Amino acid sequence: MVVNLPPQFHEKEAELKKAKTIEEKISILEEMLSIMPKHKSSEKLQALLKSKISKYKKMLEEQPKTKKKSPVPIIQREGSGQIGICGPPNSGKSTLLSKLTKATPEIGDYPFTTKIPIPGMMDYQDIKIQLIDTPSLSLEFTENWVGDILRKTDALLFLFDISTDSILEEIEESLKVLEKFKIKLENSFEFNKKIIWVGNKIDLPRSNEIKEIFYEFYSDKIPEIIIISALKSENLDILKEKIFNSLEIIRVYTKTQGKPPDLENPYTLKKGTKVIELAEIIHKEFVKNFKYARLWRDETDKVIIAGRDYVLQDKDIIEIHV
Ligand SMILES: Nc1nc2c(ncn2[C@@H]2O[C@H](COP(=O)(O)OP(=O)(O)OP(=O)(O)O)[C@@H](O)[C@H]2O)c(=O)[nH]1
Ligand SMILES: [Mg+2]
């Protein structure tokens, strides 16, 4: 039987021959199917078109996905606090991570060496603090997931090169990225996160002169800056203390009656935590039956008798009585 096909059908047939992508072919074939007359005599042609469509759809499914989205890295939180190391390209972020932790990030004398976040654990006295090395802050290249990681940290360590002539431009651009990430507030020098400002590469001769330029522009905005050499491990002990202080945490050691305190595993708590809040963390029963706590402070033998609302301090030793 002869099938009477409308002229648009033949136009589409011509288009189909020129179509380059599978998607285009499918869409043209579907159009052809919709415009052709549906009756007994066209059944064969309909079936042919349908089988072509399903063949192309199958090809499409089997095609390797070339434009795979790169997975967003996730960092598992560990230790007593989390610090994000961020800043302009080539400032020494990865070098610093390698000096403060056992991590072995790639270090290069060219910008944008670091492509993925690298965590490492820093020992600070008897606790561990997680540091995360991140790709440098650039308006053009930094991906949004860097912002997600930085926003989740407890504080940021902003590391810049204090020996480079382009210090002001570099800091300016990084700050714009932090603004884009909603970490810096718009049109003000305020941040919704604690920032530790660190100038690196003090071992290089130009650093003394350039440090003055930095102070001229930023001393009224940034009250405290720590100057280090990551490469030569200069001032890293001071920096570690600042990192610990930025977390605003305290360590409290517990003891049971008649036994020495457990000095190995302190509880790390937010500054301002009360005795009863620690009791609740240790065991719910302690809250119900709490009578008082015996507390030792400042490494003296003097015993403090503390009630529920007594505010704990770093390095307190506590014995809870129920
Ligand atoms: N002189 C000197 N060079 C340093 C210091 N810290 C890092 N460098 C050098 O600076 C270059 C960049 O160091 P990286 O640690 O890779 O810097 P980064 O900030 O991680 O760089 P990106 O990941 O590319 O943003 C390397 O050649 C380091 O050896 C320092 O304190 N003094
Ligand atoms: Mg790096």
Side-chain angles (χ1 to χ4, degrees), residues 247-279:
L247 292 173
E248 304 196 334
I249 53 176
I250 55 167
R251 291 156 292 179
V252 177
Y253 307 86
T254 51
K255 81 185 274 306
T256 40
Q257 229 173 320
K259 290 202 179 132
D262 175 7
L263 296 177
E264 300 284 306
N265 302 299
Y267 281 87
T268 47
L269 309 161
K270 274 271 147 215
K271 250 183 197 165
T273 300
K274 294 172 180 170
V275 166
I276 199 68
E277 288 166 334
L278 171 61

Short mmCIF file of all heavy atoms in Angstrom, two decimals, residues 247-279:
data_model
loop_
_atom_site.label_atom_id
_atom_site.label_comp_id
_atom_site.label_asym_id
_atom_site.label_seq_id
_atom_site.Cartn_x
_atom_site.Cartn_y
_atom_site.Cartn_z
N LEU A 247 40.60 28.59 68.52
CA LEU A 247 39.50 27.62 68.63
C LEU A 247 38.62 27.89 69.85
O LEU A 247 37.49 27.39 69.93
CB LEU A 247 40.06 26.19 68.73
CG LEU A 247 40.74 25.67 67.46
CD1 LEU A 247 41.38 24.33 67.73
CD2 LEU A 247 39.74 25.56 66.32
N GLU A 248 39.17 28.67 70.80
CA GLU A 248 38.42 28.99 72.02
C GLU A 248 37.92 27.73 72.71
O GLU A 248 36.73 27.60 73.02
CB GLU A 248 37.29 29.97 71.73
CG GLU A 248 37.83 31.23 71.08
CD GLU A 248 36.89 32.40 71.09
OE1 GLU A 248 35.68 32.17 71.14
OE2 GLU A 248 37.39 33.53 71.05
N ILE A 249 38.85 26.80 72.89
CA ILE A 249 38.50 25.57 73.59
C ILE A 249 39.36 25.42 74.85
O ILE A 249 40.41 26.07 74.97
CB ILE A 249 38.67 24.30 72.71
CG1 ILE A 249 40.08 24.24 72.10
CG2 ILE A 249 37.62 24.23 71.64
CD1 ILE A 249 40.35 22.98 71.30
N ILE A 250 38.90 24.60 75.75
CA ILE A 250 39.67 24.29 76.96
C ILE A 250 39.80 22.78 77.07
O ILE A 250 38.99 22.04 76.52
CB ILE A 250 38.99 24.86 78.23
CG1 ILE A 250 37.54 24.36 78.33
CG2 ILE A 250 39.07 26.37 78.28
CD1 ILE A 250 36.90 24.59 79.67
N ARG A 251 40.86 22.36 77.79
CA ARG A 251 41.02 20.92 78.04
C ARG A 251 40.76 20.66 79.51
O ARG A 251 41.30 21.36 80.38
CB ARG A 251 42.46 20.50 77.72
CG ARG A 251 42.78 20.56 76.25
CD ARG A 251 44.24 20.70 76.01
NE ARG A 251 44.74 22.00 76.44
CZ ARG A 251 46.01 22.38 76.35
NH1 ARG A 251 46.90 21.56 75.89
NH2 ARG A 251 46.38 23.59 76.75
N VAL A 252 39.94 19.70 79.78
CA VAL A 252 39.64 19.37 81.18
C VAL A 252 39.90 17.88 81.38
O VAL A 252 39.47 17.05 80.58
CB VAL A 252 38.18 19.73 81.55
CG1 VAL A 252 37.87 19.31 82.98
CG2 VAL A 252 37.94 21.22 81.37
N TYR A 253 40.64 17.57 82.46
CA TYR A 253 41.01 16.19 82.75
C TYR A 253 40.10 15.69 83.88
O TYR A 253 39.80 16.42 84.82
CB TYR A 253 42.48 16.12 83.18
CG TYR A 253 43.37 16.79 82.16
CD1 TYR A 253 43.61 18.17 82.22
CD2 TYR A 253 43.92 16.07 81.11
CE1 TYR A 253 44.39 18.80 81.27
CE2 TYR A 253 44.70 16.69 80.15
CZ TYR A 253 44.93 18.06 80.23
OH TYR A 253 45.69 18.69 79.29
N THR A 254 39.71 14.44 83.77
CA THR A 254 38.83 13.91 84.82
C THR A 254 39.59 12.90 85.68
O THR A 254 40.58 12.31 85.25
CB THR A 254 37.63 13.19 84.18
OG1 THR A 254 38.10 12.26 83.22
CG2 THR A 254 36.68 14.17 83.52
N LYS A 255 39.13 12.76 86.92
CA LYS A 255 39.70 11.73 87.79
C LYS A 255 38.58 11.09 88.60
O LYS A 255 37.54 11.72 88.85
CB LYS A 255 40.83 12.28 88.66
CG LYS A 255 40.42 13.04 89.90
CD LYS A 255 41.60 13.63 90.61
CE LYS A 255 42.31 12.70 91.60
NZ LYS A 255 41.49 12.08 92.63
N THR A 256 38.80 9.85 88.98
CA THR A 256 37.86 9.23 89.91
C THR A 256 38.52 9.21 91.28
O THR A 256 39.75 9.20 91.40
CB THR A 256 37.50 7.79 89.47
OG1 THR A 256 38.67 7.17 88.97
CG2 THR A 256 36.44 7.77 88.40
N GLN A 257 37.66 9.21 92.31
CA GLN A 257 38.12 9.31 93.70
C GLN A 257 39.21 8.27 94.01
O GLN A 257 39.07 7.09 93.65
CB GLN A 257 36.93 9.04 94.63
CG GLN A 257 36.80 10.09 95.69
CD GLN A 257 35.52 9.89 96.47
OE1 GLN A 257 34.48 9.58 95.90
NE2 GLN A 257 35.59 10.06 97.77
N GLY A 258 40.27 8.74 94.65
CA GLY A 258 41.33 7.83 95.09
C GLY A 258 42.27 7.38 93.99
O GLY A 258 43.17 6.58 94.21
N LYS A 259 42.04 7.89 92.78
CA LYS A 259 42.91 7.48 91.66
C LYS A 259 43.56 8.73 91.05
O LYS A 259 43.03 9.83 91.16
CB LYS A 259 42.08 6.76 90.59
CG LYS A 259 41.60 5.39 91.03
CD LYS A 259 41.29 4.52 89.82
CE LYS A 259 40.84 3.17 90.29
NZ LYS A 259 39.63 2.74 89.61
N PRO A 260 44.71 8.57 90.38
CA PRO A 260 45.31 9.74 89.72
C PRO A 260 44.47 10.18 88.52
O PRO A 260 43.73 9.36 87.96
CB PRO A 260 46.69 9.23 89.27
CG PRO A 260 46.57 7.75 89.22
CD PRO A 260 45.50 7.35 90.19
N PRO A 261 44.58 11.46 88.13
CA PRO A 261 43.78 11.93 86.97
C PRO A 261 44.23 11.28 85.67
O PRO A 261 45.38 10.87 85.54
CB PRO A 261 44.05 13.43 86.94
CG PRO A 261 45.32 13.63 87.68
CD PRO A 261 45.43 12.52 88.69
N ASP A 262 43.28 11.21 84.74
CA ASP A 262 43.61 10.70 83.40
C ASP A 262 44.13 11.88 82.57
O ASP A 262 43.37 12.69 82.06
CB ASP A 262 42.32 10.12 82.77
CG ASP A 262 42.56 9.69 81.33
OD1 ASP A 262 43.73 9.72 80.88
OD2 ASP A 262 41.58 9.31 80.66
N LEU A 263 45.45 11.97 82.50
CA LEU A 263 46.04 13.12 81.80
C LEU A 263 46.26 12.84 80.31
O LEU A 263 46.77 13.67 79.57
CB LEU A 263 47.37 13.51 82.46
CG LEU A 263 47.26 14.00 83.91
CD1 LEU A 263 48.63 14.29 84.50
CD2 LEU A 263 46.38 15.26 84.03
N GLU A 264 45.87 11.68 79.90
CA GLU A 264 46.09 11.29 78.50
C GLU A 264 44.96 11.75 77.58
O GLU A 264 45.17 12.12 76.45
CB GLU A 264 46.17 9.76 78.37
CG GLU A 264 47.29 9.12 79.16
CD GLU A 264 48.63 9.32 78.47
OE1 GLU A 264 48.71 8.98 77.30
OE2 GLU A 264 49.55 9.85 79.12
N ASN A 265 43.74 11.70 78.13
CA ASN A 265 42.57 11.96 77.28
C ASN A 265 41.70 13.08 77.81
O ASN A 265 40.66 12.83 78.40
CB ASN A 265 41.72 10.68 77.17
CG ASN A 265 42.53 9.54 76.63
OD1 ASN A 265 43.03 9.60 75.51
ND2 ASN A 265 42.69 8.48 77.42
N PRO A 266 42.14 14.32 77.59
CA PRO A 266 41.31 15.42 78.10
C PRO A 266 39.99 15.54 77.32
O PRO A 266 39.91 15.15 76.16
CB PRO A 266 42.18 16.64 77.86
CG PRO A 266 43.09 16.26 76.75
CD PRO A 266 43.32 14.79 76.87
N TYR A 267 38.99 16.11 78.00
CA TYR A 267 37.78 16.51 77.29
C TYR A 267 38.08 17.87 76.69
O TYR A 267 38.59 18.75 77.38
CB TYR A 267 36.60 16.63 78.27
CG TYR A 267 36.01 15.29 78.63
CD1 TYR A 267 36.53 14.53 79.69
CD2 TYR A 267 34.95 14.78 77.90
CE1 TYR A 267 35.99 13.29 80.00
CE2 TYR A 267 34.40 13.55 78.20
CZ TYR A 267 34.92 12.81 79.25
OH TYR A 267 34.39 11.59 79.54
N THR A 268 37.81 18.05 75.40
CA THR A 268 37.97 19.41 74.86
C THR A 268 36.59 20.04 74.77
O THR A 268 35.67 19.49 74.16
CB THR A 268 38.67 19.41 73.48
OG1 THR A 268 38.08 18.43 72.66
CG2 THR A 268 40.14 19.15 73.59
N LEU A 269 36.47 21.17 75.43
CA LEU A 269 35.16 21.83 75.58
C LEU A 269 35.26 23.27 75.12
O LEU A 269 36.35 23.85 75.09
CB LEU A 269 34.76 21.80 77.05
CG LEU A 269 34.84 20.44 77.75
CD1 LEU A 269 34.87 20.63 79.26
CD2 LEU A 269 33.66 19.58 77.34
N LYS A 270 34.11 23.85 74.82
CA LYS A 270 34.07 25.27 74.46
C LYS A 270 34.39 26.10 75.70
O LYS A 270 33.98 25.75 76.81
CB LYS A 270 32.68 25.65 73.95
CG LYS A 270 32.50 25.37 72.48
CD LYS A 270 32.93 26.57 71.63
CE LYS A 270 33.53 26.14 70.31
NZ LYS A 270 34.60 26.94 69.79
N LYS A 271 35.13 27.21 75.52
CA LYS A 271 35.38 28.12 76.63
C LYS A 271 34.06 28.49 77.28
O LYS A 271 33.07 28.71 76.57
CB LYS A 271 36.04 29.40 76.11
CG LYS A 271 37.47 29.53 76.51
CD LYS A 271 38.03 30.85 76.03
CE LYS A 271 39.54 30.77 76.08
NZ LYS A 271 40.18 31.83 75.33
N GLY A 272 34.01 28.58 78.59
CA GLY A 272 32.77 28.98 79.26
C GLY A 272 31.90 27.80 79.67
O GLY A 272 30.84 28.00 80.27
N THR A 273 32.36 26.57 79.38
CA THR A 273 31.57 25.39 79.78
C THR A 273 31.51 25.28 81.31
O THR A 273 32.51 25.51 82.00
CB THR A 273 32.20 24.11 79.17
OG1 THR A 273 32.19 24.23 77.76
CG2 THR A 273 31.43 22.86 79.58
N LYS A 274 30.31 24.94 81.82
CA LYS A 274 30.13 24.82 83.27
C LYS A 274 30.31 23.37 83.70
O LYS A 274 30.16 22.44 82.88
CB LYS A 274 28.72 25.28 83.65
CG LYS A 274 28.51 26.75 83.39
CD LYS A 274 27.06 27.12 83.59
CE LYS A 274 26.88 28.61 83.33
NZ LYS A 274 25.48 28.98 83.29
N VAL A 275 30.57 23.18 85.00
CA VAL A 275 30.79 21.85 85.55
C VAL A 275 29.65 20.90 85.16
O VAL A 275 29.88 19.78 84.71
CB VAL A 275 30.94 21.93 87.09
CG1 VAL A 275 30.83 20.55 87.72
CG2 VAL A 275 32.27 22.56 87.45
N ILE A 276 28.41 21.38 85.27
CA ILE A 276 27.26 20.49 85.04
C ILE A 276 27.16 20.09 83.55
O ILE A 276 26.70 18.99 83.22
CB ILE A 276 25.93 21.13 85.53
CG1 ILE A 276 24.86 20.08 85.71
CG2 ILE A 276 25.48 22.26 84.65
CD1 ILE A 276 25.11 19.11 86.82
N GLU A 277 27.64 20.98 82.69
CA GLU A 277 27.61 20.66 81.24
C GLU A 277 28.61 19.54 80.92
O GLU A 277 28.34 18.68 80.10
CB GLU A 277 27.90 21.91 80.42
CG GLU A 277 26.74 22.89 80.45
CD GLU A 277 27.09 24.29 79.94
OE1 GLU A 277 28.28 24.68 80.03
OE2 GLU A 277 26.18 24.98 79.50
N LEU A 278 29.75 19.58 81.60
CA LEU A 278 30.72 18.49 81.41
C LEU A 278 30.15 17.19 81.99
O LEU A 278 30.26 16.12 81.38
CB LEU A 278 32.06 18.83 82.08
CG LEU A 278 33.07 17.69 82.13
CD1 LEU A 278 33.46 17.22 80.73
CD2 LEU A 278 34.33 18.09 82.90
N ALA A 279 29.51 17.31 83.17
CA ALA A 279 28.92 16.12 83.81
C ALA A 279 27.95 15.44 82.85
O ALA A 279 27.93 14.22 82.72
CB ALA A 279 28.21 16.53 85.09
#
